[in-house]
Amino acid sequence: MSTSPFDPQDAAIVFDGVTKAFGAHKVLQGLDLVVPKGKCTVIIGRSGTGKSVTLKHAMGLIQPDAGRVTVLGKELGRLKREELQRLRLRFGMVFQNAALFDSLSVYENVAFPLREHEKLTEAETLSRVEAVLAQVGLSFAIQKMPSELSGGMRKRVGLARAIIHTPDILLYDEPTTGLDPILTAQIDELIAATQQNHPAMASVVVSHDMKGAFMVADYIYMLHQGKVVAQGPPEHFKTTDDPLVRQFVEGRLDGPIGVE
Amino acid sequence: MITRLVEGVGAAVIRVVERFGSFAEVAVRGTWTLFTPPFRPRLILQQLEFVGVQSLSIVLISGFFTGGVFALQAAYGFGLFGAETLTGSTVTLSLSRSLGPVFCSLMVTGRAGSAMAAEIGTMKVTEQIDALESMAVDPVEYLVSPRVIAGAIMVPVLSALYTGIGMIGAYMVSVPYMGIDGGAFLDRIAWYADPEDLHWGLIKASVYGWLLAAVGCWKGLSVRGGAQGVGQATTEAVVVSSVAILVLDYFFTDILMKLGLLT
């Protein structure tokens, strides 16, 4: 396996030999990866290979059993609670099921990070919310409640909430899971457009959807059994004859990845 | 055999200590963060309304009938030796010292404590708690603080209402219904009951209100799994709070009496 071409000194996120187990279940088993700034990195792998757990480690929502996670030059394990909170302000996260606050309207959801951390007038807040909702094509839904929205719309609101404070790192947890193929294409396009609109930002997309990965990725890591087993730009994944990658990309039952 | 027994007991002790530790963390931090910015008056008002105003009807109805049934039983008992007029003072003392705060807290546990566990538990399983943390907002500060302060403020208010309406219930049953002399009934209350009785009752109610909210929030935050986990947390919140309130009330009363603060 080749090592990543990115300089860990100037990376957004670095995982260095991270292991994590929940009880007897080992999820990460020595994970090494580097997420560069200004690019869209996609982490693929089967369900249960530790992709979402990886994202939660990056934000310090979970602490590793061993190994180090470094974000924007700061090692998470050494940070105090307040420092970690401040570092989290530089993240945006799009959750698998959007995780919108269902007691708040779309407007209040999207305005939430601003109201918590920036002292803006109500008019400034409104114009920022309108701007990001326009980016995700949901200007009309500003007064709706999350329960009135479809799955795809909820994810777009989740994206608007994640980018409203212009984060340095944007994390997507399975952004297209559970959507139909057309909505999937719409969200993938939105991910690519968001990266283009914020060229300095690092995006990390966790997914098992290869089509989407090829569409949005600058660089792909493939996780299997808690480790990186393949990495490279999308072309590498299209052309390699590594049997692990081929089986996953082509979605075949027979191959080195056991199906229980 | 013996080593296994020791291991088993040790593991159980560790589990209990761990659970108490996680509760204490939520309860203490939930209270502490009330005094540090950001302050959240809007959320606190919402919770005051939820815990207080929305519990009003069940508290009034249950208080009226508790006072009523208590008067029925007491009037019968005192009637055996011709002391029916003591009914009012007995009901008043019991309600203001213990029954008011305890029963009222149990009603609020069933209505609001359970709802807190269910709401926060649902937020946990739908990743809304993770979302708060990812936006650098402390879930304990955002969710727990407004609820514990609302419990500590509103349960004593409800408890005072419970006691008051309970006394009205007792009067209605004793005087018009059972024919006890109204003047004597009220006179005995004034003779035996002190403001002290009510005042300690209110302090107890405040502690129980804080406790039931803290337990509800703690159970909600410790939900694992999906809908089943939320259901279990809701049940546990009610059971743990109710038992804790009843046990605590016994020791509270005993200590107050030993210290001579209640006679």
Side-chain angles (χ1 to χ4, degrees), chain A residues 39-43 51-52 55-56 59 91-97 136 155-156 158-160 162-163 167 169-177 187-196 198 201-208 216:
Chain A
K39 289 195 174 357
C40 183
T41 306
V42 176
I43 301 174
K51 304 189 300 291
S52 298
L55 284 190
K56 289 187 176 170
M59 291 198 97
F91 279 94
M93 176 136 180
V94 182
F95 286 87
Q96 194 167 349
N97 292 304
V136 300
K155 287 198 180 174
R156 279 146 69 196
L159 175 58
I163 59 175
I169 303 172
L170 183 54
L171 309 177
Y172 299 85
D173 188 7
E174 311 243 354
T176 57
T177 301
I187 296 283
D188 285 334
E189 219 172 86
L190 205 51
I191 294 172
T194 306
Q195 179 63 44
Q196 266 175 6
H198 303 83
M201 189 174 71
S203 300
V204 185
V205 183
V206 150
S207 175
H208 50 239
V216 302

Side-chain angles (χ1 to χ4, degrees), chain A residues 233-245:
Chain A
E235 297 70 44
H236 170 72
F237 277 75
K238 287 178 187 162
T239 54
T240 179
D241 43 18
D242 179 340
L244 270 173
V245 177

Side-chain angles (χ1 to χ4, degrees), chain B residues 101-102 105 155 204-213 245 248-249 252:
Chain B
V102 168
S105 305
V155 174
K204 288 201 292 187
S206 184
V207 174
Y208 305 154
W210 171 85
L211 182 73
L212 71 91
I245 288 168
L248 209 58
D249 191 62
F252 227 141

Side-chain angles (χ1 to χ4, degrees), chain B residues 67-68 71-72 75 84-89 91 166-189:
Chain B
L72 272 183
E84 294 92 340
T85 50
L86 285 174
T87 301
S89 52
V91 173
M167 286 164 70
I168 294 174
Y171 183 89
M172 301 290 277
V173 168
S174 308
V175 179
Y177 182 61
M178 300 189 70
I180 296 171
D181 179 65
F185 180 96
L186 295 174
D187 186 55
R188 290 285 184 277
I189 294 179

Side-chain angles (χ1 to χ4, degrees), chain A residues 57-250:
Chain A
H57 272 94
M59 291 198 97
L61 296 174
I62 302 179
Q63 276 69 45
D65 294 337
R68 282 195 309 252
V69 181
T70 311
V71 174
L72 299 166
K74 295 197 171 78
E75 193 188 322
L76 295 189
R78 291 169 184 261
L79 296 183
K80 296 199 191 81
R81 191 180 169 81
E82 298 77 42
E83 293 171 312
L84 184 61
Q85 293 283 70
R86 237 175 294 137
L87 190 62
R88 280 187 190 149
L89 293 177
R90 303 178 67 180
F91 279 94
M93 176 136 180
V94 182
F95 286 87
Q96 194 167 349
N97 292 304
L100 301 180
F101 303 123
D102 33 36
S103 58
L104 304 179
S105 70
V106 167
Y107 172 67
E108 288 168 315
N109 262 289
V110 178
F112 192 90
L114 295 184
R115 289 195 170 151
E116 283 298 319
H117 302 295
E118 291 178 38
K119 288 191 174 64
L120 299 179
T121 64
E122 204 50 39
E124 288 169 320
T125 306
L126 178 65
S127 76
R128 293 264 296 267
V129 171
E130 282 174 339
V132 285
L133 281 178
Q135 278 183 42
V136 300
L138 280 176
S139 301
F140 64 92
I142 190 163
Q143 293 306 337
K144 288 194 189 297
M145 295 302 285
S147 55
E148 300 172 79
L149 304 179
S150 70
M153 284 155 88
R154 293 168 68 94
K155 287 198 180 174
R156 279 146 69 196
V157 175
L159 175 58
R161 182 175 71 180
I163 59 175
I164 191 160
H165 59 299
T166 48
D168 297 313
I169 303 172
L170 183 54
L171 309 177
Y172 299 85
D173 188 7
E174 311 243 354
T176 57
T177 301
L179 299 181
D180 67 51
I182 295 171
L183 279 178
T184 299
Q186 185 193 33
I187 296 283
D188 285 334
E189 219 172 86
L190 205 51
I191 294 172
T194 306
Q195 179 63 44
Q196 266 175 6
N197 291 336
H198 303 83
M201 189 174 71
S203 300
V204 185
V205 183
V206 150
S207 175
H208 50 239
D209 170 31
M210 280 318 299
K211 205 172 148 215
F214 286 144
M215 185 168 156
V216 302
D218 294 308
Y219 200 80
I220 300 177
Y221 289 97
M222 179 170 162
L223 254 53
H224 183 58
Q225 294 177 336
K227 272 193 216 130
V228 173
V229 290
Q231 58 176 295
E235 297 70 44
H236 170 72
F237 277 75
K238 287 178 187 162
T239 54
T240 179
D241 43 18
D242 179 340
L244 270 173
V245 177
R246 289 267 58 85
Q247 186 190 353
F248 186 82
V249 171
E250 289 160 19

Side-chain angles (χ1 to χ4, degrees), chain B residues 13-221:
Chain B
V13 169
I14 290 173
R15 227 176 12 250
V16 168
V17 171
E18 266 178 4
R19 296 186 88 187
F20 185 76
S22 79
F23 167 72
E25 210 245 323
V26 169
V28 170
R29 215 148 55 78
T31 310
W32 172 248
T33 48
L34 277 167
F35 304 101
T36 55
F39 304 107
R40 302 185 184 276
R42 204 170 65 99
L43 291 181
I44 292 175
L45 276 177
Q46 268 176 11
Q47 289 303 320
L48 288 173
E49 200 261 346
F50 175 69
V51 175
V53 181
Q54 292 187 32
S55 303
L56 207 53
S57 53
I58 58 159
V59 162
L60 292 182
I61 293 170
S62 58
F64 184 85
F65 283 99
T66 308
V69 77
F70 199 179
L72 272 183
Q73 301 282 14
Y76 171 76
F78 286 125
L80 294 178
F81 44 92
E84 294 92 340
T85 50
L86 285 174
T87 301
S89 52
T90 307
V91 173
T92 304
L93 282 179
S94 308
L95 276 177
S96 57
R97 285 178 168 199
S98 263
L99 292 187
V102 168
F103 280 8
C104 177
S105 305
L106 294 180
M107 300 303 292
V108 177
T109 300
R111 208 199 67 77
S114 60
M116 290 175 189
E119 185 185 356
I120 295 178
T122 307
M123 290 182 71
K124 174 88 188 251
V125 299
T126 55
E127 294 190 303
Q128 291 177 54
I129 304 287
D130 282 338
L132 278 175
E133 291 217 51
S134 80
M135 288 184 271
V137 173
D138 176 4
V140 171
E141 178 265 317
Y142 186 79
L143 296 169
V144 181
S145 301
R147 286 168 172 79
V148 292
I149 186 69
I153 292 175
M154 275 317 201
V155 174
V157 174
L158 292 169
S159 168
L161 289 170
Y162 191 95
T163 301
I165 195 99
M167 286 164 70
I168 294 174
Y171 183 89
M172 301 290 277
V173 168
S174 308
V175 179
Y177 182 61
M178 300 189 70
I180 296 171
D181 179 65
F185 180 96
L186 295 174
D187 186 55
R188 290 285 184 277
I189 294 179
W191 185 261
Y192 287 108
D194 278 332
E196 280 291 278
D197 298 315
L198 188 62
H199 144 165
W200 283 110
L202 294 184
I203 291 177
K204 288 201 292 187
S206 184
V207 174
Y208 305 154
W210 171 85
L211 182 73
L212 71 91
V215 170
C217 295
W218 166 58
K219 280 291 166 192
L221 285 173

